[in-house]
Amino acid sequence: MRRFLTMSGSATVAAALFVVLLAVADPVAPVVLKTTEFGRGPTVVLLHALGSGRMVWMPTAKKLLAGHRVVLVDLPGHGDSALPDPFSLEACAEALDQVLARQKPDSTVLVAHGFGGLIALQEVKSHPDRVKGLMVIDAATRSTMKVPEQQQRFFFQALDTRYEDVLKMMMTRQGRDTTQGLEIYAQAQLVPPATIKAYLKAAMNVDASGTLKDMKPAFLFVGSARLWPDTTAWATVAKQLGYEEAGPIATRRIKDSAALIMKDQPDSLAAVIGEFAARAIAAKK
């Protein structure tokens, strides 16, 4: 009996110690995002779209080098950046925050394309003092796919059973033409399917439009001609992308461009980024 009590007591102590260790253990650290950094001057952090990679920005980044420090970032699960486990858009934003935390907040702007814009909005909501300005390109504040909740499981099933078909349909339609659409699709094929699926599932019911109200950093929406044709009013685009309740926001449209706007119009895009960065950084808090 004494031996049984001793063993039971030891087991109890061990169990209690394990619980204590769990309680004081450090939280799961954010994944480390891969970056490419060069240049000097005010910092411009460039974040790509879903299914792309940081080097897609190079044509525009080269145009910014004369007066800026440029930081190219791989989204979580893309290129050389790991996917958070468990996955969430908040975890992606926290990973981005580790990059921004290394920059000088008073001279840094964040430029995010497509799905990267949704991650950027999450980050600015949680850490509004990290940057002086946020510029998004063709970025929605919520899913543009209107799929009722009761039907979403069918979409997810299709995503699992017909992944390549769904991916090709999504990516090729973003191009300026068929050739560019296939280029975008080929790039997306290099990203693990688990990454694409995780983002799409997480974003299905997210709405970040409220972040725009009383946003502390300066904000600019830039639209490509593919997403925002010159025959379409901003009010129509705003409603489609979830900006209709944000109130007046600054917008720019770049002609002759599509999802690869940073390659289609590097000079025009770099000029817009440079002007925005100068204005945002010069503004008083």
Side-chain angles (χ1 to χ4, degrees):
M1 175 65 73
R2 178 175 297 177
R3 183 182 179 188
F4 174 77
L5 288 174
T6 301
M7 291 178 63
S8 298
S10 298
T12 301
V13 171
L17 180 59
F18 180 70
V19 171
V20 171
L21 289 174
L22 284 179
V24 300
D26 291 334
V28 177
V31 297
V32 177
L33 302 186
K34 180 65 176 181
T35 65
T36 297
E37 308 178 18
F38 41 74
R40 293 182 179 180
T43 300
V44 177
V45 179
L46 299 172
L47 197 63
H48 63 81
L50 180 67
S52 188
R54 70 186 189 279
M55 301 311 290
V56 73
W57 281 104
M58 281 304 294
T60 294
K62 290 178 181 179
K63 304 295 181 180
L64 291 167
L65 275 181
H68 300 84
R69 178 170 175 272
V70 181
V71 180
L72 313 179
V73 185
D74 270 339
L75 277 174
H78 294 70
D80 300 310
S81 296
L83 192 70
D85 183 17
F87 179 86
S88 69
L89 298 183
E90 291 78 10
C92 292
E94 284 303 309
L96 173 61
D97 185 62
Q98 304 307 302
V99 175
L100 296 180
R102 300 197 299 267
Q103 318 306 324
K104 297 177 181 178
D106 288 337
S107 59
T108 297
V109 297
L110 175 60
V111 179
H113 181 222
F115 213 111
L118 189 57
I119 303 300
L121 285 169
Q122 294 270 358
E123 162 62 5
V124 169
K125 179 180 179 180
S126 300
H127 304 280
D129 294 319
R130 290 292 194 215
V131 296
K132 290 283 285 184
L134 169 60
M135 173 176 151
V136 299
I137 305 170
D138 286 359
T141 65
R142 60 188 179 224
S143 175
T144 56
M145 295 185 294
K146 307 299 182 183
V147 183
E149 278 195 47
Q150 62 271 24
Q151 297 179 18
Q152 287 180 17
R153 64 186 183 92
F154 296 111
F155 170 75
F156 296 147
Q157 287 175 357
L159 194 59
D160 287 332
T161 60
R162 301 175 53 217
Y163 174 74
E164 283 298 329
D165 292 335
V166 174
L167 182 69
K168 186 174 184 178
M169 178 188 68
M170 288 177 53
M171 297 300 170
T172 55
R173 68 197 307 180
Q174 299 178 31
R176 185 185 57 227
D177 51 34
T178 301
T179 300
Q180 191 176 85
L182 291 174
E183 179 184 353
I184 295 169
Y185 171 53
Q187 175 66 40
Q189 286 182 300
L190 301 178
V191 178
T195 293
I196 302 290
K197 293 178 184 180
Y199 276 87
L200 292 178
K201 291 178 180 180
M204 185 63 70
N205 299 304
V206 169
D207 187 348
S209 59
T211 304
L212 296 169
K213 297 178 180 179
D214 302 319
M215 177 180 284
K216 188 173 182 179
F219 181 79
L220 175 66
F221 175 91
V222 173
S224 68
R226 173 71 177 80
L227 183 77
W228 184 3
D230 56 8
T231 55
T232 303
W234 164 246
T236 301
V237 178
K239 185 175 182 179
Q240 175 190 355
L241 302 181
Y243 294 93
E244 72 274 24
E245 297 180 2
I249 62 174
T251 62
R252 291 286 296 269
R253 179 184 173 277
I254 297 181
K255 63 180 183 178
D256 300 326
S257 61
L260 292 183
I261 187 172
M262 63 289 296
K263 298 175 68 176
D264 292 337
Q265 297 291 343
D267 290 288
S268 297
L269 183 56
V272 171
I273 293 172
E275 292 168 7
F276 172 69
R279 186 170 65 253
I281 292 171
K284 295 181 180 180
K285 288 189 176 182

